[in-house]
Amino acid sequence: MITLVKLEIFKLVRRARSYLGFAALSALAGLVVLGLKEGPPPFEQSINQGFMTFGNILNGGFTAWFLLKLMMALFLPLFACVVIGDMVSGEANDGTLRTMLSRPVGRGKILFSKFIVSVLYVIALTFFIGVAGYMLGAIFLGRGALVTFQEGTALGAQGIYIYPEAEGLLRLLGAYAYASVAVLSVASIAFFISAFVTNSLGAIGGAMVLYIASNLLGIIKYFEPIKDYLFTTHMGNFGLFFINEIPKGDLLKSLGILFAYILAFLAAGLFVFHRKDVLS
Amino acid sequence: MRTAVSVFCAGAMLLSAVTIPIAAAEKVTSATILALVEKNYKDINDYKVDAEVTIDSPQLYVKGSKMTIYFKKPNKVKIEAKEGFAVMPQVFAGNPATEIKSKFNVEYTGDSKLGGEPVYVLKLTPKSTSAPGNMKLFVEKKRGVIVGSEAKANDMTMISRWTYVKVDKKYWLPSQIKVEMSGTLSSPAYDPDEVKVKPAKTGKGTAVIKLKNYQVNKGLSDKIFEQKKSSGK
């Protein structure tokens, strides 16, 4: 299995599209830092009413938090799907899948090794945006206490949490780890679709359509009874890490639902892949 | 942020000090009580103190926001964040008596006891709408320092208490200001995630300002106060 995983990693690092997400997210992080540095302070009004503030709210920690909030809405799931949706379908499209399956290795092992590499990729991509954001923010904006806004908008925030730098970093670490699981829940849909299509665009598009549809269902009142079971409802719960007393029950419940989606799509992918008639 | 506005009175007396009680024969008025508070600064030319602010309310949570406060006569104040950014409730940053006189109409309403100590009770009415609402202020007779306040604004109540430390065996300066808030502690806010306006939050909250490591009359340079104060970006 380790050999298979190594092989998949080798294939992943040799593919140009693997770096697309890293490059795009780096560029976006740079633009966000530029906007924060040169633009008007985005959240000052929320804090200043009734309080005296000193120093700079904008720093590496804030950038990492802000980027996570921004990127989780679309870019992280999209760039994860671009690669994960290509894991199997890309090989089918290239005509290498049949060759690979002709070797004396079980289909389950092959697919599972691809899934393990997908997990590693999602973790790397998610943490990359955090590290890039923190470092760019620290270089151009400085370091310091972490300020986050959990509810409302910049002009009407209700949940403002401010932590010392060290604690802020630990909370960011937790939030990014959670975000990895959340992104993986979308990516696992792309992985599943990738197992039975030969065009990676179908897998990427299919996963993104489901992601957007799930988001829409979550805001339509009629679907309120199923809202709790939609994976998109729980994707944004990385914010729980920034509440002073992290609601562990809610966090575990959300993680449970996200993992259930991941495992369900992995199982479905294995099922489909086992029965798949590989023609290319 | 009404929470914070209300805490305004809480930090009011960052700078209270030694006291000479009003002479028994002298008629007690709001002016004599404020003069008593003002006397606390007579021998303090400057000081530097470390402050740590913790706020726990439905609106805002601040864990150990650290800063250094510099004060120099006549009324120069500078507050410097230790970890890049710091937040603290709006306070009378300077001579409290002067601040009170400039922002409030003050009326002496009688005597009372707070924590077993006899106190003067002052009623403060804001001169302008920008100042916080009406409040009661308690000035300890023995030391002439402000030891508490009670205020009600809209649907919120704030009760604050000050504790003091004797610095250099001469100056009574605050070591802790604790404010307890209750009622409506935030404004309604639109939540784009939920696509709805969240109602104002009610409940209870606490703000604590801890002050330690006072360094009094060490000859602070004017240069410290020349630096431009930054807020936000």
Side-chain angles (χ1 to χ4, degrees):
Chain A
M1 179 59 97
I2 291 170
T3 312
L4 279 174
V5 170
K6 280 181 181 171
L7 185 70
E8 289 301 327
I9 290 173
F10 178 73
K11 282 192 271 185
L12 190 72
V13 295
R14 281 180 64 89
R15 244 184 269 163
R17 77 162 60 197
S18 304
Y19 302 98
L20 181 69
F22 291 98
L25 291 177
S26 300
L28 286 167
L31 287 174
V32 167
V33 171
L34 179 72
L36 289 174
K37 185 172 170 60
E38 301 301 331
F43 300 110
E44 191 173 351
Q45 194 177 339
S46 294
I47 282 188
N48 271 1
Q49 294 171 21
F51 285 96
M52 297 191 292
T53 58
F54 311 95
N56 198 341
I57 180 176
L58 305 175
N59 54 40
F62 181 86
T63 308
W65 168 78
F66 192 52
L67 272 172
L68 184 59
K69 223 169 156 57
L70 284 181
M71 300 303 165
M72 276 300 282
L74 178 66
F75 290 112
L76 263 174
L78 175 66
F79 288 120
C81 286
V82 164
V83 172
I84 310 306
D86 191 50
M87 290 299 278
V88 185
S89 60
E91 298 232 22
N93 194 32
D94 293 344
T96 53
L97 191 59
R98 199 162 51 167
T99 315
M100 194 162 73
L101 293 178
S102 64
R103 292 159 61 208
V105 183
R107 286 190 177 197
K109 276 189 175 178
I110 288 174
L111 195 75
F112 197 64
S113 65
K114 284 182 179 294
F115 184 75
I116 289 171
V117 175
S118 300
V119 172
L120 295 175
Y121 181 80
V122 166
I123 292 170
L125 188 69
T126 309
F127 273 91
F128 171 78
I129 191 66
V131 173
Y134 183 81
M135 287 178 70
L136 283 172
I139 291 166
F140 293 104
L141 301 166
R143 290 171 48 201
L146 176 67
V147 180
T148 68
F149 301 80
Q150 295 309 307
E151 295 169 37
T153 63
L155 298 181
Q158 279 196 344
I160 302 170
Y161 295 88
I162 303 174
Y163 300 102
E165 186 181 12
E167 183 173 340
L169 281 174
L170 282 176
R171 285 175 183 270
L172 277 170
L173 204 64
Y176 270 90
Y178 181 95
S180 300
V181 178
V183 173
L184 189 62
S185 68
V186 188
S188 64
I189 300 173
F191 187 79
F192 160 65
I193 301 173
S194 172
F196 62 82
V197 295
T198 52
N199 187 343
S200 59
L201 277 179
I204 300 160
M208 290 316 291
V209 165
L210 274 176
Y211 173 64
I212 293 164
S214 181
N215 263 313
L216 285 174
L217 290 182
I219 58 172
I220 296 171
K221 199 84 181 163
Y222 179 74
F223 296 105
E224 191 86 26
I226 61 161
K227 192 181 172 184
D228 252 9
Y229 303 101
L230 299 172
F231 65 99
T232 44
T233 304
H234 303 276
M235 284 184 70
N237 276 355
F238 61 85
L240 296 177
F241 279 91
F242 301 106
I243 292 172
N244 54 323
E245 281 178 27
I246 298 169
K248 292 186 185 73
D250 292 346
L251 197 66
L252 288 173
K253 181 187 164 193
S254 291
L255 277 171
I257 287 171
L258 291 174
F259 273 119
Y261 269 91
I262 293 165
L263 292 175
F265 281 110
L266 172 63
L270 283 167
F271 180 77
V272 168
F273 195 63
H274 263 294
R275 293 167 163 260
K276 185 178 168 119
D277 189 7
V278 180
L279 302 170
S280 58
Chain B
M1 287 300 173
R2 288 155 61 196
T3 313
V5 174
S6 21
V7 182
F8 182 81
C9 43
M13 299 314 122
L14 272 177
L15 310 172
S16 309
V18 266
T19 260
I20 302 163
I22 297 166
E26 194 180 335
K27 190 191 172 190
V28 178
T29 64
S30 59
T32 56
I33 296 167
L34 286 179
L36 188 65
V37 175
E38 214 158 13
K39 274 182 186 172
N40 293 333
Y41 297 96
K42 191 181 160 199
D43 297 322
I44 299 177
N45 294 317
D46 60 64
Y47 74 65
K48 175 186 167 188
V49 64
D50 294 328
E52 188 174 320
V53 177
T54 299
I55 301 168
D56 189 358
S57 82
Q59 165 79 347
L60 172 68
Y61 179 84
V62 180
K63 187 173 184 181
S65 188
K66 290 175 184 160
M67 63 207 85
T68 306
I69 301 171
Y70 301 91
F71 167 76
K72 187 170 184 177
K73 270 187 174 177
N75 205 19
K76 288 180 182 173
V77 176
K78 179 177 168 100
I79 303 177
E80 210 169 62
K82 278 188 175 174
E83 283 201 333
F85 177 78
V87 57
M88 78 181 291
Q90 282 187 351
V91 293
F92 292 122
N95 185 330
T98 311
E99 291 276 328
I100 289 166
K101 279 191 280 187
S102 68
K103 289 182 179 166
F104 295 92
N105 293 312
V106 186
E107 185 189 338
Y108 167 56
T109 58
D111 297 346
S112 184
K113 279 195 170 183
L114 200 70
E117 284 291 329
V119 292
Y120 300 115
V121 183
L122 297 174
K123 182 185 171 189
L124 272 58
T125 313
K127 288 179 180 174
S128 73
T129 51
S130 61
N134 293 353
M135 73 172 94
K136 262 199 277 186
L137 206 63
F138 304 100
V139 178
E140 191 186 286
K141 289 183 177 182
K142 193 172 155 188
R143 296 179 292 178
V145 294
I146 294 173
V147 287
S149 74
E150 288 175 15
K152 258 195 171 181
N154 301 319
D155 300 326
M156 185 172 48
T157 306
M158 299 86 55
I159 297 171
S160 63
R161 296 291 180 262
W162 293 266
T163 48
Y164 287 80
V165 62
K166 201 168 195 176
V167 178
D168 297 343
K169 297 178 183 171
K170 285 188 256 183
Y171 317 109
W172 283 108
L173 291 166
S175 58
Q176 180 175 291
I177 299 162
K178 185 175 181 182
V179 188
E180 285 176 356
M181 303 158 279
S182 58
T184 307
L185 299 179
S186 79
S187 307
Y190 175 71
D191 190 330
D193 294 336
E194 299 264 329
V195 203
K196 65 181 180 186
V197 175
K198 290 203 165 185
K201 289 188 176 181
T202 57
K204 290 183 177 179
T206 311
V208 179
I209 305 172
K210 285 183 178 171
L211 301 131
K212 60 182 181 183
N213 301 330
Y214 277 100
Q215 293 179 39
V216 181
N217 294 337
K218 300 290 182 192
L220 291 180
S221 164
D222 283 329
K223 282 183 182 172
I224 291 170
F225 302 91
E226 283 170 10
Q227 291 167 15
K228 192 181 172 187
K229 186 194 97 172
S230 65
S231 176
K233 179 180 178 279

